[in-house]
Structures are given as structure tokens and as C-alpha cells.
Amino acid sequence: MSTFLVHDTRLIGSTPRSIADGFTVVNANTPLSTMMNNIMAFADRHGTAIDTLIIMCHGYESGGESQQHQASYYALGFGLELCREGLTLANVNRTYTMSGYINNIVLYACGPANTHPFATGTYGDGRRFCSKMAAFTNANVYASSETQYYRNGNYDNVRRVCEDVPIDFGNWEGKVYQFAPDGNVYQVQ
């Protein structure tokens, strides 16, 4: 059983290398294809599927309007700020290349599983995004619908400096869901 970590450096903090057997660091210049090739190469080197892929990045938040409800909204659930292209409902199908390489995906990001009532069935439907990722990768996807808080430094009040420490998400905030490849969704927290 192996764990692989992807850290998009727009999520400020040191990469927590010790929580995984392998890792890759990406940023706004890294193509999604490079990230996915690194993940698959790691699995190939180990001769087996990665048990858990951990992705640490920001979640997209945006807004929209509901003509039906005559109202505007602003919410999480619009995908992931991951690599150059981002990962959204518009391109989550690209993750199909990783099918068979991963058993579980943990999304440490703000609200990828969020679906505002007005966003159901739209490009801001986070539950649909996570379900499609699970289906395309043939892996269980774990994600929260809420903002996630993490620790990335220790502040020294005496010296008035902040010591950089590896990112630590600690416990989940809000509801956490498991999106199974078969389309079932389970609330696990």
C-alpha cells in the first residue's frame, strides 16, 4: 500500500513529504498532464496501484445567478486550483488516464464537494465534479463541502517570527463525502 502526495504551491506552506511514499510539487506553470504522468510513473515503479493519492491545493469559489430563483449566489464547489489548467467539471474527464493507477483520492482543498442549491446541475456543482472524478479515475474520492483550515507555521511571540512547518490539515471541517466510482455517495463524517 502506497501513498502519493500532490502539492500545488499556491497553497502556501512546506510540502509535508513525510506523510507519503512519494510526492510531486506543482504550480501555475505545471500542465495537468505532467502531474498525471508523475502519478502514473510512481505507480508503475512500484508495480501496483497507489492506495491513496492526496491532493493539497485551493478549491475554486465563484458565483452565479439563478434565473429560476431570481437570486445570485457565491459558493465553493467550482473545482480545484491545480496545475496550469485547474481541474473543473469542464476538464475532469482528463483524469481518465489515471484509471487503474489509484484506489483512493483525498482532496485537501476548500469545498470541492460543495453544491449550492442554486448550482445543482451547473458548472458549480461540486458533488457532480467529485462523482465524475471518481468515475473517470475508477477510484473513491474523499472531499469536504466546507472551507478547510490548515497549519503551515509556528509563530514565536518572543522573537516575532514564524517558523515554516510542513502543511498539516488536521481534522476535516464540515461534512466529508466518499464518492464511489459506481456513482454512490456516502457521508463519512
Side-chain angles (χ1 to χ4, degrees), residues 36 87-97 132-133 136:
M36 292 188 288
L87 194 58
T88 66
L89 268 171
N91 66 353
V92 71
N93 62 316
R94 292 182 58 190
T95 62
Y96 81 92
T97 60
K132 285 189 173 286
M133 180 184 282
F136 284 121

Side-chain angles (χ1 to χ4, degrees), residues 3-185:
T3 303
F4 192 82
L5 169 68
V6 174
H7 173 208
D8 190 299
T9 58
R10 288 170 288 186
L11 186 71
I12 297 171
S14 297
T15 304
R17 299 172 185 190
S18 65
I19 68 169
D21 303 306
F23 70 94
T24 189
V25 176
V26 299
N27 58 40
N29 298 314
T30 309
L32 276 169
S33 59
T34 298
M35 178 199 75
M36 292 188 288
N37 287 338
N38 289 341
I39 292 165
M40 294 183 294
F42 178 84
D44 285 340
R45 281 193 305 275
H46 287 82
T48 185
I50 296 167
D51 185 57
T52 305
L53 171 65
I54 300 168
I55 298 177
M56 293 183 170
C57 64
H58 287 293
Y60 284 136
E61 183 174 29
S62 191
E65 294 184 6
S66 169
Q67 296 301 322
Q68 177 186 359
H69 297 97
Q70 296 292 304
S72 298
Y73 67 93
Y74 201 79
L76 293 163
F78 286 76
L80 302 174
E81 184 179 51
L82 184 63
C83 298
R84 180 173 56 210
E85 303 92 327
L87 194 58
T88 66
L89 268 171
N91 66 353
V92 71
N93 62 316
R94 292 182 58 190
T95 62
Y96 81 92
T97 60
M98 297 189 296
S99 180
Y101 285 89
I102 306 161
N103 296 326
N104 299 287
I105 301 171
V106 176
L107 301 178
Y108 281 124
C110 288
N114 186 59
T115 300
H116 187 279
F118 296 168
T120 301
T122 71
Y123 57 93
D125 188 335
R127 287 176 147 232
R128 192 165 134 221
F129 168 76
C130 291
S131 288
K132 285 189 173 286
M133 180 184 282
F136 284 121
T137 60
N138 197 35
N140 293 300
V141 173
Y142 296 87
S144 176
S145 58
E146 302 298 324
T147 297
Q148 298 301 300
Y149 298 97
Y150 68 97
R151 198 176 116 222
N152 65 349
N154 287 328
Y155 187 72
D156 183 333
N157 285 316
V158 175
R159 295 184 304 149
R160 296 185 188 268
V161 295
C162 189
E163 171 194 15
D164 185 38
V165 298
I167 292 171
D168 179 5
F169 272 88
N171 294 326
W172 290 94
E173 279 77 35
K175 295 177 181 174
V176 180
Y177 300 95
Q178 173 193 350
F179 298 86
D182 63 8
N184 286 312
V185 179

